């Protein structure tokens, strides 16, 4: 558990009020116990690239190359993302999310770097084709 974190008075992984897992800093690290991380929580994403960025972030975190913010900031960050009807649905916000993870790590310390423009263009093209051919 995080030093100074109050003992939660509710379930850590689900409180039943939202569709997803509350208290996850960066949709990844449990604020009450950062040793617990859950990869792949966001949905409507291209999964394997996102997993790779999440795993890179966690590797640097657990090797102590990067630090987590204080508990209150992690919890505020986690709760700020729970607003709206589908807080864990990302879609194209995935690109900004993956870039944010790599910014935390420092792209000079990772082989990944920011999401390339050609990847974004390719994804946009796929979405256009899906809408055109399948209607959604």
């Amino acid at each position: 558990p995080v030093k100074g974190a109050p003992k939660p008075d509710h379930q850590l992984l689900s409180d039943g009020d939202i569709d997803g897992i509350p208290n996850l800093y960066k949709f990844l690290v449990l604020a009450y116990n950062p040793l617990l991380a859950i990869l792949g929580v966001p949905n409507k994403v291209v999964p394997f690239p996102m997993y790779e960025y999440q795993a890179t972030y966690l590797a640097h975190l657990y090797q102590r190359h990067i630090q987590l913010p204080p508990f209150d900031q992690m919890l505020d960050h986690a709760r700020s993302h729970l607003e709206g009807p589908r807080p864990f649905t990302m879609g194209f916000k995935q690109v900004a999310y993956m870039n944010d993870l790599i910014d935390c790590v420092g792209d000079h310390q990772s082989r990944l770097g920011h999401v390339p423009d050609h990847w974004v263009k390719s994804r946009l093209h796929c979405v256009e084709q899906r809408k055109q051919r399948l209607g959604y």
Side-chain angles (χ1 to χ4, degrees), residues 8-85:
D9 58 355
H10 58 280
Q11 293 179 341
L12 288 178
L13 295 181
S14 177
D15 61 8
D17 293 337
I18 61 168
D19 184 23
I21 302 169
N23 306 320
L24 284 179
Y25 176 67
K26 296 200 177 289
F27 297 103
L28 184 62
V29 178
L30 188 64
Y32 286 98
N33 186 350
L35 295 176
L36 178 61
I38 305 172
L39 280 77
V41 171
N43 58 55
K44 297 221 176 177
V45 296
V46 182
F48 292 110
M50 186 185 71
Y51 301 158
E52 190 171 15
Y53 278 80
Q54 287 181 324
T56 298
Y57 177 85
L58 286 176
H60 284 270
L61 176 65
Y62 292 150
Q63 292 174 20
R64 298 185 179 164
H65 295 164
I66 58 175
Q67 299 284 323
L68 289 172
F71 169 75
D72 291 340
Q73 287 179 15
M74 285 195 298
L75 203 54
D76 287 345
H77 180 274
R79 289 181 176 165
S80 72
H81 291 287
L82 296 179
E83 298 169 4

Side-chain angles (χ1 to χ4, degrees), residues 100-111:
D100 176 55
L101 291 176
I102 221 62
D103 285 343
C104 293
V105 168
D107 59 0
H108 63 281
Q109 295 182 20
S110 171
R111 64 177 183 76

Side-chain angles (χ1 to χ4, degrees), residues 101-128:
L101 291 176
I102 221 62
D103 285 343
C104 293
V105 168
D107 59 0
H108 63 281
Q109 295 182 20
S110 171
R111 64 177 183 76
L112 290 175
H114 282 162
V115 177
D117 288 337
H118 67 84
W119 188 87
V120 176
K121 289 176 186 173
S122 172
R123 294 302 309 143
L124 285 170
H125 178 72
C126 288
V127 169
E128 290 170 8

